[in-house]
Amino acid sequence: TKGSHDHYMRKEIHEQSNALRECLRDRFSTGDSVSLDAIEDGYRPESVHLVACGTSYHAALYGAKLLRKRGIQAQAHLASEYALSPPPVRDGALVVGVTQSGETADTLSALRTATAEGARTLALTNVVDSTAARECDDALYIRSGPEISVAATKTFASQLVTLVLFALQSSGQTSDETERLVSALTELPEHVQRLLETTAAPTTARRFADSSGYFFIGRGVQYPVALEGALKMKEITYEHAEGFAAGELKHGPLALVTEDTPVFVSVVGDDETARKTVANAKEVKARGAPLVAVTDGVSSIDRFADEVLTIPRTNRTLAPILVNVQYQLLAYHTADHLGRDIDKPRNLAKSVTVE
Ligand code: M6R
C-alpha cells in the first residue's frame, strides 16, 4: 500500500535509501573489492554494449561512461534501434540488457539479436525470473523491490549503483580512486535519506509550475540525469521538457530559452567540467531564463542561480544519483500542483510489451 504517501511515486522516491542499502548488501568481499554472484570473479569483457529503453537507457548511458573511464570499450544503445544495425560483436563482447521489468519487448528483442550474433548476455534487472533474466546467460539483480508507479524512480537509482558495482568488478582495477568510490557507495543511502529530509524541491516546483517548458542540462556523468530529469518531468506533468548536454546548448537549443522556461543545471565540485557547465549556465541566465542549480555548493554557481537545490557532498561519480532525487521530487511536486494522475500518466504503461 501507499501508507502515509499520497502516491506510489512519492513512496518509492522515499524508499530509495533502503533500496540502495539492499542493492549494496553483501556485494563487497574484502575491503574495497566488489563481488557480484552473477559474474565470475576475474571475468573481463573485451567490450560491452548496453541496450535499454527510456529511463533504463539513461542508466545505460551512465554505465557506458563509467566502463569507458575504467578502460573498457562500452556503448549504450536504444534497444529499439539496436536490432536494426547491431554493432559488430567481436570475441569477448558482452551485451547487457538494462531493464527494470525484464519484459520490455524492444530490450528482449535486442538481447535476442545479440545472442544470435554470438555475444554473451547479461540481464541487469529488478524482477527475479523475468523473461530477460531467464533468457540471458546471467542475471544481475538491482534488488529495488516492487515499483508500482509507472514513473521509474527508485529502480533508476538502483540501476546506477548496480552499474557502478559492475564497472568496478569487471574492470578489476583497484586504486585509491576505487577505494574512495567504494567508501562513498557505503555512505550513499544516508546521503539520500538526508536529502529527502531537507530538500527544497516542493517550493521550487510550485514557483515554476506554470512555466511554458523546462530544460535540463548537464555535462559528463551529469548528462544522463539531465535526460532523465526531463523525461520524468514530461511523463507525469504533460508539460514540455527536454534534457541537453550542457555543451550542446549553443548549437541550437539556446534559441528555445526564454523568461518562461526555467533551466535546471547540475554542477558538482569545481573542476574543469564544473567550470564549463557554470559558463553554459551563465549563457542561459544572460538570455533571461530562470536558473535552478542543483549543486553540492563547491562551485560559484549558487552565486548567480535564481534557486539552489543542495545535494550532500559525495564522490563525483555518485553525485548524479543525488541530483536525480531532486529532479524526481521537482517532477512529482509540479505534477501534484497541476493535479495530474501521477501514478498512471495518460497513454503510458509500466511495462511496454510491444515493439
Ligand atoms: O522495464 P524497463 O526498464 O525495460 O522499462 C523501460 C522503460 O519503459 C521505462 O524505463 C520507462 O521509460 C519509465 N517507466 C519512465 O519512467
Side-chain angles (χ1 to χ4, degrees), residues 2 22 31 71 80 83 116 125 149 161 167 209 233 239 250-251 283 286 305 307 327 344:
K2 289 180 283 207
E22 192 54 28
S80 56
T125 185
S149 180
V161 165
M233 189 63 119
E239 300 298 323
K250 48 180 168 302
H251 299 288
E283 287 160 10
E307 292 243 353
Y327 285 165
K344 287 195 170 62

Side-chain angles (χ1 to χ4, degrees), residues 53-56 99-101 104 150-152 231-232 235:
C53 305
T55 293
S56 296
T99 167
Q100 185 282 128
S101 62
T104 301
V150 165
L231 176 62
K232 215 86 316 175
E235 80 171 312

Side-chain angles (χ1 to χ4, degrees), residues 105-116:
D106 283 317
T107 308
L108 292 175
S109 144
L111 287 166
R112 286 171 192 148
T113 303
T115 302

Side-chain angles (χ1 to χ4, degrees), residues 111-134:
L111 287 166
R112 286 171 192 148
T113 303
T115 302
E117 298 281 319
R120 177 171 169 171
T121 54
L122 171 72
L124 195 138
T125 185
N126 192 32
V127 179
V128 175
D129 268 342
S130 54
T131 306
R134 279 185 278 110

